Amino acid sequence: MSRPNSDGGAQRPGVRFPAALDGLRPAFTTSVPRSVGVAPDGRAGVVVARVQGVGLDSAAVRQAMVQRLAQQGVTQPAVLQALATVERHRFVDSALVAQAYEDTALPIGWGQTISKPSVVARMLELLCAGQTLPLGRVLEIGTGCGYQAALLARLAREVYSMERLRALHDKARDNLRPLRIPNLHLIFGDGTAGYATGAPYAGIIAAAGGDAIPQAWLDQLAVGGRLVAPAEVRPGQQQLVVVQRTTTGWQREVLEGVRFVPLQSGVL
Ligand code: SAH
């Protein structure tokens, strides 16, 4: 089965860890010896960490994920640092925790998915390219489970993240509550109109794709700001689009093909 949202292919079979993550805190600290290995075929996501008690050292597993992303060409240190810090396993259902650090999209309920880490990293790099970090205010359309929002909060001074599904907005709030991220604001609403309250934005990033980039997003982008979003550039062909606003207009670049969930209007 393949899932929408940019995993662009079939699912690999999940590799099971011998024990579940405890959700809040590893059962042992980094001072405890541990072993981390990558399978001989170097397959992404095949990482084994020594487990003690009921916990697993997710920091080591996450670090291995970041190393793979770096090997695949992710270079922006702040993006890599954010990916190494935010615990992706907190944002997926307990049955999927073992796959949290594989490079795969995962279902988050209500027909939506969390993008695979390499796509998240790619989009964050595109958002930050040539910009001074941290970015100023950033708007995210499609909070989903809140994972990318947590990453953005490490790259920007203020993050406004919008979600049109009340159930996912609430779920993201629950996932993020223990992290206490003061510069992240979750907004329940239809993001196709953007969010004028926080405009103009240094960055706008969308995790759902429509047939065009909404005019409101272009209008709410600051001069010098960057927008990264999937859009159906040609019928049936979704591609990553980057827009940079200049003093004279908007410069648009169309990049690789992707597969994100649809950008939908209205709230539910
Ligand atoms: N960044 C998210 C990915 C979520 S998938 C994460 O890390 O989990 C994309 C999300 O966009 C879905 O939750 C979907 O409900 C939401 N979405 C689609 N159209 C939207 C719209 N018009 N406004 C706000 N959110 C929207």
Side-chain angles (χ1 to χ4, degrees), residues 174-187:
D174 288 346
N175 288 340
L176 290 160
R177 188 173 291 114
L179 306 185
R180 297 171 191 272
I181 305 175
N183 60 332
L184 173 55
H185 314 282
L186 300 185
I187 296 134

Side-chain angles (χ1 to χ4, degrees), residues 76-116:
Q76 169 60 250
V79 170
L80 291 169
Q81 184 60 48
L83 287 158
T85 307
V86 177
E87 299 177 325
R88 193 170 185 256
H89 69 265
R90 287 175 179 268
F91 295 87
V92 299
D93 289 342
S94 53
L96 299 171
V97 157
Q99 295 173 65
Y101 297 105
E102 293 182 26
D103 196 25
T104 185
L106 293 171
I108 53 174
W110 296 275
Q112 308 303 319
T113 48
I114 177 174
S115 306
K116 62 182 182 178

Side-chain angles (χ1 to χ4, degrees), residues 7 16 22 43 45 55 73-74 86 89 91 96 114 125 131 162 186 199 205 212 221 229 235 239 254 268:
D7 68 353
R16 305 284 156 197
D22 67 5
R43 200 174 60 152
V74 180
V86 177
H89 69 265
F91 295 87
L96 299 171
I114 177 174
E125 275 210 314
Q131 306 291 75
M162 298 189 78
L186 300 185
I205 187 164
L221 200 57
Q239 282 173 269
V254 177
L268 276 179

